[in-house]
Amino acid sequence: MGIDFLPDKPIYQQLIDRLTGDIIRGTLKPGEKLLSVREYAIEAGVNANTMQRVYKELEQMEITETKRGQGSFVTEDEVKIAELRNDMKEQLVTSFIQSVEALGFTTSEIVQHIQERGGEND
């Protein structure tokens, strides 16, 4: 199957982003068991070593936890998941603002446009 990866960002980072996105969206629930490293590597079309690095990074970020002999699980720490969600939102907004400012738009123009769109997606 495989995933289409962007050429300008490390694959392991794209996989971390994908898994954290699944956690933020609720596709992966707190306490849910992740696929094994080997299974996810096959599904993603990457080397098992790459997937092992992803799981290690997620565990260091305290987003997942490994239970010996059972596998890796999404953290049940709701505060940690809320922090992850907030951090991701902050990164996306900062990147967006930097991009539009680089094109010459002012923050007030962007805010006005967002307000005009208002309830389109609510």
Side-chain angles (χ1 to χ4, degrees):
M1 179 170 134
I3 297 171
D4 291 329
F5 294 104
L6 302 171
D8 59 341
K9 189 173 187 181
I11 289 173
Y12 83 93
Q13 187 61 57
Q14 292 178 62
L15 289 165
I16 289 171
D17 293 347
R18 181 183 179 99
L19 283 165
T20 55
D22 286 347
I23 293 167
I24 289 169
R25 278 188 299 281
T27 306
L28 287 172
K29 308 272 189 247
E32 185 172 339
K33 185 176 192 245
L34 301 177
L35 293 174
S36 73
V37 168
R38 183 171 285 126
E39 289 169 330
Y40 204 113
I42 291 169
E43 183 176 297
V46 299
N47 186 292
N49 292 331
T50 300
M51 210 60 235
Q52 183 63 45
R53 180 174 183 184
V54 169
Y55 277 34
K56 181 180 178 188
E57 296 270 339
L58 290 171
E59 189 164 2
Q60 288 176 343
M61 295 165 65
E62 298 178 357
I63 295 169
T64 64
E65 49 192 54
T66 301
K67 297 179 183 174
R68 189 177 177 137
Q70 296 178 37
S72 293
F73 296 81
V74 176
T75 184
E76 294 186 46
D77 184 345
E78 302 273 342
V79 172
K80 186 52 103 173
I81 293 172
E83 287 174 5
L84 174 66
R85 182 177 171 81
N86 208 35
D87 290 348
M88 182 67 72
K89 178 176 56 177
E90 181 64 33
Q91 289 173 15
L92 290 169
V93 169
T94 300
S95 176
F96 171 74
I97 290 171
Q98 289 172 345
S99 296
V100 295
E101 286 177 344
L103 293 171
F105 294 102
T106 65
T107 303
S108 59
E109 284 179 293
I110 298 306
V111 168
Q112 180 182 350
H113 184 72
I114 291 170
Q115 289 173 337
E116 288 170 0
R117 288 189 62 173
E120 286 183 22
N121 295 320
D122 288 338

